[in-house]
Amino acid sequence: LFALRTRTGLAALFWLCVTQLACGSGAVGETKNVVQKDAEFDVTYNDTVTSENQTIYAFNHTVSRNKTEGVRVRVDVSPQNLESTILFVVRQKQAVLSFQVPLILRGLYQRKYPYNHVGRTLCQPPTRAASETQYFFVDVSTLSAQGTNYQLRVSRVESFTLQTDKKFTFTASPSQPQYFKYVFPDGVDTVIVKVNSDMNFPCSVMSIQDIQCPVYDLDNNVAFLGMYQTMTKKGAITVQRKDFPRNSFYVVVVVKTEDEACGGPLHFYPLRPDELIDAGNRTKVLDVVVSPAINSEVYVMGMLFCLGIFLSFYLLTLLVACVENKSTLSSEAITESATSTDNNYGYMERSLDSVGRSRHESLSSVEEDDYDTLEDINSDKNIVRTKKFLCVSDLARKDKRVLSKKYQIYFWNIATIAVFYALPVIQLVITYQTVVNVTGNQDICYYNFLCAHPLGALSAFNNILSNLGYVMLGLLFLLIVLKRDIVHNRALVRNDLNALECGIPKHFGLFYAMGTALMMEGLLSACYHVCPNYTNFQFDTSFMYMIAGLCMLKLYQKRHPDINASAYTAYACLAAVIFFSVLGVVFGKGNMAFWIVFSVIHILATLLLSTQLYYMGRWRLNAGILRRMLHIIYTDCIRQCSGPMYIDRMVLLVMGNIVNWSLAAYGLIERPNDFASYLLAIAICNLLLYFAFYIIMKLRSGERIKCLPLVCILFTAVVWGFALYFFFQGLSTWQKTPAESREHNRDCILLFFFDDHDIWHFLSSIAMFGSFLVLLTMDDDLDTVQRDKIYVF
């Protein structure tokens, strides 16, 4: 930048020296006439310039240290004289500004747009004296032998300094940019600069630059210094005093030569060398207002509010745990008394030493290859799993030690995935934030700029802080699961028959994985909101897929502990989902071939999973699959009309196929730009469908829902409703250009610190925590029911 500025200044001085030397020494055998005029402000000068004469306009004005007045130079040239270029050089104290008329601005593909009306604001050098008279000169020259008429007018800008909370309206165009000065008032360390317009187009750029010369106020150099962002109707930049040592800054507004950067149309023009293109009317009316941002007290209140909400859940959980512990101690005392005195329960007299020993044996001695420990297990599987009515005891026949190790792998695998996934993510977002801070390009990140409170190097601290709930509630859920795990292990140690032979088999590995996934969702969502854009959106959604998948697996595991998927298979499938998510974000936008391939894979995967669930895994995918399918169709549909053997499962799978085929058709027809959200919607729809089916079948089987899970279900449903309302407010979107995304920005709505999306973070973290509690407690009513009386569905 220094080199570029130096070259620009030297070029202007070189041109001035050449014209002066030509005048004094008679270059090319001719004498150039130099005319210097004492000029005045607010007077229009109509003159003619040729290669043989040069005019210098001398201006003087009084500069006050306590008051800044802008000076604006306006030049008009007749459209008939666009082929003759006039050079204007403004010489000031410590600054030189040069421009040509017509002003040629370049667009994409080197398109050239000429402007014959040019207006530039002069940079104001600082003065140390209380009052000082400064001189500046406007030199007008050309190399064209043909006389060219021009109009020159220099005027003062009375409203050059912006006032706090006072709106100022102005007009700008590509050749007539505007900039204004703002001085931080006493006691204000942070302000937010808002620029608005009723017009979408032409596209414009707002920039915040330090008080120094030159000011970069053209489309081809506005990105050289300071912070900047493109805008259509809205633009907002938060500015901190610490970044500007002079306690002031310039607000620069530039209208671009083309609208492509703001998502507007890019008209096709033949690309012919040196062809000038008429840009048409690109004047835009805008207004700017500078308002004080929040102070440190609001930051503290926001952080305390965030902590207070989630710590209250810890307190509530502690109270519930105390009540439950008191009840548990009472019931254990009664049970122990009954066990020692009542001899009617003869089956309790059998030795349980082997069971007790198995709990103390190291799980490391058990391999996953030992899953099927019954000698006749291969034939037994086909007999048991194909019964018309299955009970949990039929699918809970494997060694508890083996299953415990199998499901603990879910936790260790997701912990490993989290470490290897999070480390490069953190490194990448730090790089993103560094690039934003160094380049000043605020189009890199898709924030809600009207409610983006910086803290240190972070541009939107509030969006990061609001993710704290996922981490805190995920940790709380892990503590609740740990407490249940300890209570269950104690029951096994004292040979409690309810723990050994009653209720849904207790395996906590998937619950630990769910809690870890919730915590990682908070961490990765915070990383995504450091600099949200389409290239890192997968950080925000990856563990949402994990959570949805783990919840479905946990629902299925409850009644199918022996045949649930292994951790390796489950995470491999989730990795495939994330892989397709990345492909969809990168290649899916409007790509028909991608959507056809994805829809076919989606439908085939649905059919394969449906078959696996319907036959409880007792089928084979091999060369004879088509022959067996035709045989079933012939025997069950043609030869005799018989209904499905497993009606409940068939109802669920038919509904699931209808939902998934409908989603596949919607994706193929509409091809939504936000593929990651579309994929997440598929996962959530399947989870909700399975969860509703589970609740309905549970009630239909004569089971009941206890008070605590019922309260959790109702509370979670209400919170999810409010959460989705705030989610769909859409304060920004990376599917559009940054300028179009800013049209959705809105002010903070909670404590002047949090916006709608922050509230979504609060509510969704609470709703996910509530959903996990529902899964954890939903079958507590079965803890005293024999497993051969609990139906599988």
Side-chain angles (χ1 to χ4, degrees):
L1 291 179
F2 175 76
L4 181 61
R5 273 184 259 165
T6 304
R7 288 197 298 271
T8 304
L10 289 176
L13 290 174
F14 176 75
W15 175 259
L16 180 61
C17 292
V18 168
T19 56
Q20 295 284 9
L21 288 173
C23 172
S25 60
V28 200
E30 298 180 359
T31 301
K32 176 168 288 193
N33 298 319
V34 178
V35 178
Q36 180 166 323
K37 298 180 179 180
D38 291 333
E40 298 179 357
F41 287 90
D42 299 318
V43 175
T44 302
Y45 294 93
N46 292 281
D47 281 326
T48 302
V49 63
T50 68
S51 59
E52 298 180 357
N53 65 73
Q54 174 183 348
T55 304
I56 300 176
Y57 298 89
F59 294 86
N60 67 81
H61 65 134
T62 302
V63 177
S64 174
R65 183 174 58 192
N66 299 325
K67 181 180 180 182
T68 303
E69 283 187 342
V71 176
R72 190 161 179 83
V73 177
R74 292 183 177 86
V75 177
D76 293 327
V77 173
S78 174
Q80 288 77 20
N81 297 324
L82 291 181
E83 295 182 358
S84 302
T85 300
I86 305 175
L87 179 66
F88 291 82
V89 179
V90 183
R91 291 177 289 140
Q92 302 174 258
K93 179 184 178 181
Q94 302 178 8
V96 174
L97 171 67
S98 64
F99 57 89
Q100 69 176 46
V101 182
L103 181 64
I104 307 298
L105 297 177
R106 295 180 182 270
L108 289 178
Y109 312 112
Q110 296 301 311
R111 293 185 173 95
K112 298 179 181 178
Y113 299 91
Y115 294 91
N116 58 317
H117 303 288
V118 179
R120 304 293 297 278
T121 302
L122 302 186
C123 182
Q124 296 299 298
T127 178
R128 295 183 178 179
S131 180
E132 178 184 351
T133 300
Q134 292 186 356
Y135 296 87
F136 66 92
F137 304 89
V138 180
D139 303 341
V140 185
S141 59
T142 183
L143 293 179
S144 174
Q146 181 182 0
T148 305
N149 297 323
Y150 65 88
Q151 291 182 347
L152 172 67
R153 183 183 179 90
V154 178
S155 57
R156 291 183 174 89
V157 182
E158 299 295 339
S159 54
F160 182 70
T161 302
L162 298 173
Q163 302 299 316
T164 304
D165 286 330
K166 289 186 178 180
K167 181 186 295 186
F168 177 72
T169 302
F170 61 95
T171 302
S173 69
S175 62
Q176 301 179 72
Q178 299 272 10
Y179 67 84
F180 309 94
K181 182 179 181 180
Y182 180 80
V183 180
F184 282 97
D186 293 337
V188 176
D189 294 324
T190 308
V191 295
I192 180 168
V193 181
K194 302 177 185 178
V195 178
N196 298 287
S197 176
D198 294 331
M199 308 165 63
N200 285 81
F201 299 107
C203 178
S204 53
V205 179
M206 67 172 297
S207 171
I208 304 297
Q209 299 181 22
D210 199 2
I211 304 295
Q212 63 182 45
C213 299
V215 177
Y216 296 101
D217 60 349
L218 290 177
D219 185 18
N220 57 9
N221 64 17
V222 69
F224 287 176
L225 186 69
M227 300 178 288
Y228 65 93
Q229 58 181 225
T230 56
M231 59 166 287
T232 52
K233 288 186 173 182
K234 291 182 180 180
I237 296 180
T238 300
V239 186
Q240 301 181 80
R241 184 194 290 263
K242 66 180 180 64
D243 297 327
F244 296 92
R246 294 183 178 88
N247 293 328
S248 57
F249 57 87
Y250 285 136
V251 179
V252 184
V253 178
V254 177
V255 176
K256 294 184 70 66
T257 57
E258 293 174 339
D259 295 328
E260 189 269 344
C262 293
L266 182 63
H267 300 289
F268 175 79
Y269 298 105
L271 300 179
R272 297 171 184 166
D274 300 325
E275 180 181 9
L276 299 180
I277 302 170
D278 183 11
N281 181 20
R282 295 190 64 79
T283 301
K284 189 168 187 175
V285 179
L286 308 103
D287 58 69
V288 58
V289 60
V290 184
S291 304
I294 62 173
N295 55 30
S296 57
E297 294 179 357
V298 180
Y299 278 86
V300 173
M301 285 296 298
M303 289 186 279
L304 291 178
F305 173 80
C306 189
L307 285 171
I309 286 180
F310 301 114
L311 287 177
S312 65
F313 281 88
Y314 279 77
L315 179 60
L316 181 62
T317 302
L318 183 61
L319 294 175
V320 173
C322 290
V323 174
E324 285 188 344
N325 190 52
K326 184 176 180 181
S327 302
T328 303
L329 291 175
S330 301
S331 61
E332 287 179 359
I334 295 174
T335 303
E336 290 175 358
S337 174
T339 304
S340 61
T341 58
D342 195 348
N343 295 323
N344 294 330
Y345 298 94
Y347 62 85
M348 295 180 64
E349 296 177 0
R350 62 188 178 92
S351 175
L352 295 175
D353 292 341
S354 60
V355 176
R357 286 195 304 270
S358 68
R359 300 306 306 173
H360 297 287
E361 291 178 3
S362 173
L363 292 181
S364 62
S365 63
V366 183
E367 301 296 333
E368 284 196 82
D369 295 337
D370 299 333
Y371 287 164
D372 298 333
T373 56
L374 299 179
E375 294 180 358
D376 60 338
I377 195 69
N378 289 324
S379 60
D380 191 60
K381 285 181 181 177
N382 293 328
I383 296 172
V384 172
R385 297 183 192 175
T386 55
K387 292 196 309 183
K388 187 170 184 178
F389 297 105
L390 279 171
C391 295
V392 169
S393 58
D394 297 323
L395 297 178
R397 299 159 62 87
K398 293 181 179 179
D399 193 298
K400 293 182 176 62
R401 298 173 301 159
V402 177
L403 288 182
S404 179
K405 180 176 180 180
K406 173 183 177 181
Y407 293 124
Q408 285 297 330
I409 294 175
Y410 273 97
F411 168 69
W412 293 113
N413 277 8
I414 202 169
T416 305
I417 292 169
V419 171
F420 281 93
Y421 194 93
L423 290 178
V425 166
I426 294 172
Q427 181 181 14
L428 182 60
V429 297
I430 290 174
T431 302
Y432 266 121
Q433 188 67 72
T434 302
V435 170
V436 171
N437 293 335
V438 171
T439 65
N441 182 3
Q442 299 203 351
D443 282 354
I444 296 176
C445 306
Y446 289 70
Y447 299 119
N448 174 17
F449 286 91
L450 291 176
C451 186
H453 304 303
L455 182 67
L458 300 173
S459 298
F461 175 67
N462 54 304
N463 292 155
I464 297 171
L465 176 64
S466 58
N467 286 284
L468 182 64
Y470 297 106
V471 179
M472 292 185 66
L473 294 182
L475 178 60
L476 177 59
F477 183 74
L478 289 178
L479 294 175
I480 294 173
V481 173
L482 178 62
K483 184 250 184 185
R484 287 208 164 205
D485 195 0
I486 292 173
V487 170
H488 179 66
N489 287 333
R490 287 176 178 174
L492 293 177
V493 168
R494 65 174 183 269
N495 298 326
D496 188 339
L497 280 182
N498 285 338
L500 291 169
E501 299 180 359
C502 297
I504 300 295
K506 301 292 192 298
H507 300 293
F508 297 97
L510 270 168
F511 282 128
Y512 285 122
M514 289 162 55
T516 305
L518 185 58
M519 295 178 67
M520 283 304 302
E521 171 58 30
L523 175 62
L524 293 178
S525 179
C527 290
Y528 165 72
H529 283 91
V530 169
C531 181
N533 56 59
Y534 84 100
T535 59
N536 61 14
F537 183 65
Q538 59 150 315
F539 303 160
D540 194 36
T541 56
S542 294
F543 272 80
M544 289 185 181
Y545 304 136
M546 293 278 193
I547 290 172
L550 291 173
C551 287
M552 282 189 281
L553 285 169
K554 186 59 195 179
L555 270 176
Y556 189 76
Q557 182 215 47
K558 281 177 171 289
R559 313 262 171 163
H560 310 78
D562 286 0
I563 61 174
N564 203 28
S566 69
Y568 307 113
T569 302
Y571 288 130
C573 293
L574 292 172
V577 171
I578 295 173
F579 173 74
F580 274 105
S581 173
V582 175
L583 289 182
V585 170
V586 178
F587 303 109
K589 190 174 182 179
N591 190 333
M592 190 65 180
F594 169 83
W595 282 97
I596 291 174
V597 172
F598 174 76
S599 298
V600 170
I601 293 176
H602 181 192
I603 292 173
L604 289 177
T606 302
L607 291 174
L608 290 174
L609 183 60
S610 300
T611 307
Q612 178 75 13
L613 294 178
Y614 186 77
Y615 290 107
M616 294 287 186
R618 307 315 299 156
W619 70 289
R620 295 187 303 275
L621 181 62
N622 52 28
I625 185 71
L626 293 177
R627 178 176 54 81
R628 295 196 299 273
M629 289 174 60
L630 293 175
H631 178 73
I632 292 175
I633 293 173
Y634 173 75
T635 56
D636 292 356
C637 299
I638 298 177
R639 187 174 179 179
Q640 63 178 5
C641 185
S642 59
M645 183 175 180
Y646 315 110
I647 297 178
D648 294 335
R649 267 180 269 168
M650 179 60 70
V651 170
L652 169 65
L653 296 174
V654 167
M655 292 177 63
N657 276 268
I658 291 174
V659 170
N660 282 276
W661 285 48
S662 300
L663 289 170
Y666 171 79
L668 192 60
I669 295 171
E670 296 294 332
R671 299 191 295 277
N673 293 332
D674 190 353
F675 181 81
S677 296
Y678 167 75
L679 202 58
L680 185 60
I682 293 176
I684 291 176
C685 287
N686 282 277
L687 175 60
L688 291 178
L689 176 65
Y690 190 23
F691 188 79
F693 173 81
Y694 191 96
I695 294 290
I696 293 171
M697 291 303 299
K698 181 177 176 66
L699 298 176
R700 186 167 173 260
S701 301
E703 301 173 11
R704 64 185 182 88
I705 299 176
K706 298 179 74 174
C707 181
L708 180 60
L710 182 60
V711 170
C712 289
I713 290 173
L714 297 177
F715 172 76
T716 302
V718 172
V719 175
W720 268 124
F722 283 105
L724 291 174
Y725 169 79
F726 286 101
F727 174 77
F728 287 114
Q729 295 305 301
L731 303 184
S732 63
T733 171
W734 51 263
Q735 304 160 49
K736 301 179 181 179
T737 64
E740 291 174 307
S741 174
R742 272 184 277 275
E743 293 180 16
H744 303 282
N745 290 177
R746 289 203 295 271
D747 293 324
C748 306
I749 62 171
L750 179 62
L751 300 176
F752 302 103
F753 193 77
F754 298 110
D755 61 16
D756 298 72
H757 196 72
D758 293 322
I759 297 178
W760 150 254
H761 287 161
F762 291 145
L763 296 179
S764 62
S765 62
I766 294 172
M768 285 186 184
F769 174 70
S771 301
F772 288 3
L773 289 182
V774 171
L775 285 174
L776 183 64
T777 62
M778 185 167 51
D779 290 314
D780 284 355
D781 59 303
L782 302 176
D783 285 348
T784 57
V785 179
Q786 291 287 333
R787 289 173 187 165
D788 58 358
K789 297 179 181 178
I790 302 175
Y791 291 107
V792 171
F793 39 81

